[in-house]
Amino acid sequence: MYYCNEFYSLSVLSLYEGELLGVVDKLYFDKKMKKLIEIELMGEDGAKLILPTKNIYRVGKNAITVKNNQAVSLKVEESTLTLCPINSKAYSIKGEFLGIVNDMSFDEKYVSEKISLDNGNTIDIDNLASCGKNTIIFYDNNEKININKFTPNKSPKIFKTEEVVVAKTLPIEEEKKSIEQESPKPQVQRADFLLGRVCTKDIFNFNNELLIKAHAVINKKNLKEVNRFGKLRELMLYSK
């Protein structure tokens, strides 16, 4: 049996090259925390490296060994996996505070077993309901409901088509008068008022591809892309 706290700061050694590749910095599990999938290393030169657990040769008391340096790869993007929940607050599904997570155990195949709390209690991983960035929630013994039923509804699209609606330009005085006379509408009917504003944060699509970067001036091209991926409301919030 292994423990997360035992893995942190272990050196990772390449057997073929006889080389120190880095030191364990972070542990990533699958979304349901059932298995350890990846280990993030801090390389000798400060670079962040990823070691999939399938590439581990042996785990020793002071170091992890891999066959060669091809077992690791350079980290190029943030992981979509679940970070080890140490220091997360633990609650029951009924809202009862259970304690602070201080460790987690897994077997030699990196399959999760138990989560340990700061009060000495341990909870079987099968009782896990959900896990986020700073909170972990467990089922009660007599109340195992389907958490997936609680997923939020998709936000309605602001525009029905991919084209950005461009309003006719009016003289300033006429436009002010028009705005005063119009009654408020529940949905945004035009988006050209964003043109010329400055985006205050990076906005990405669902594939984590950058649509518009922070400090960029909003033009018709990037406005169309943001609208196409349903991120217009986010752009409204983060622009000035």
Side-chain angles (χ1 to χ4, degrees):
M1 181 184 294
Y2 300 125
Y3 292 90
C4 289
N5 282 324
E6 295 176 347
F7 265 54
Y8 289 116
S9 298
L10 284 181
S11 298
V12 176
L13 309 175
S14 167
L15 297 176
Y16 180 75
E17 289 85 5
E19 180 183 359
L20 172 62
L21 300 178
V23 176
V24 175
D25 186 43
K26 296 178 181 178
L27 304 177
Y28 289 98
F29 292 78
D30 60 27
K31 291 185 177 181
K32 294 185 178 181
M33 296 290 296
K34 295 295 184 181
K35 187 174 182 179
L36 178 64
I37 304 296
E38 290 180 352
I39 298 174
E40 183 177 319
L41 314 178
M42 182 62 70
E44 288 289 279
D45 58 355
K48 294 182 179 181
L49 306 172
I50 294 296
L51 169 62
T53 52
K54 64 181 181 181
N55 292 344
I56 293 176
Y57 183 70
R58 290 287 187 275
V59 177
K61 183 178 180 181
N62 305 112
I64 296 171
T65 57
V66 297
K67 292 182 179 180
N68 53 55
N69 58 19
Q70 293 183 356
V72 301
S73 59
L74 184 66
K75 182 179 179 180
V76 294
E77 59 183 16
E78 288 300 317
S79 177
T80 57
L81 299 172
T82 303
L83 189 65
C84 181
I86 288 179
N87 295 327
S88 293
K89 293 181 179 180
Y91 292 86
S92 73
I93 200 169
K94 293 182 178 179
E96 176 188 359
F97 178 68
L98 303 177
I100 304 294
V101 177
N102 65 3
D103 211 344
M104 181 173 175
S105 63
F106 46 93
D107 63 20
E108 294 182 355
K109 293 184 178 180
Y110 313 109
V111 176
S112 305
E113 293 185 339
K114 294 183 181 296
I115 291 178
S116 304
L117 305 180
D118 60 345
N119 54 20
N121 293 331
T122 59
I123 304 177
D124 194 276
I125 197 66
D126 290 336
N127 289 326
L128 178 67
S130 64
C131 181
K133 292 181 179 180
N134 52 22
T135 304
I136 189 166
I137 300 173
F138 295 96
Y139 289 114
D140 289 328
N141 292 330
N142 298 323
E143 190 172 351
K144 290 194 175 183
I145 60 177
N146 186 0
I147 293 294
N148 292 329
K149 292 181 178 180
F150 299 157
T151 54
N153 294 326
K154 294 182 178 179
S155 300
K157 293 183 178 180
I158 296 177
F159 293 100
K160 294 183 178 180
T161 65
E162 295 183 358
E163 296 298 326
V164 176
V165 178
V166 180
K168 293 181 180 180
T169 305
L170 296 174
I172 295 176
E173 292 302 322
E174 291 185 24
E175 187 171 356
K176 286 183 178 179
K177 187 181 296 183
S178 176
I179 292 173
E180 291 173 357
Q181 291 176 351
E182 288 183 1
S183 58
K185 298 178 181 179
Q187 292 185 337
V188 177
Q189 300 297 315
R190 46 185 282 182
D192 62 317
F193 68 91
L194 293 173
L195 296 174
R197 284 192 179 186
V198 176
C199 182
T200 58
K201 64 168 280 189
D202 292 339
I203 295 179
F204 300 86
N205 64 16
F206 298 111
N207 295 322
N208 208 31
E209 297 171 339
L210 184 65
L211 296 175
I212 181 170
K213 62 182 180 180
H215 310 302
V217 177
I218 301 170
N219 55 38
K220 289 184 179 181
K221 183 178 179 181
N222 51 35
L223 182 60
K224 181 178 179 180
E225 282 299 294
V226 169
N227 178 48
R228 187 162 71 91
F229 285 97
K231 293 288 183 173
L232 188 58
R233 191 178 299 276
E234 185 174 349
L235 182 59
M236 292 177 186
L237 291 174
Y238 297 104
S239 62
K240 61 180 182 179

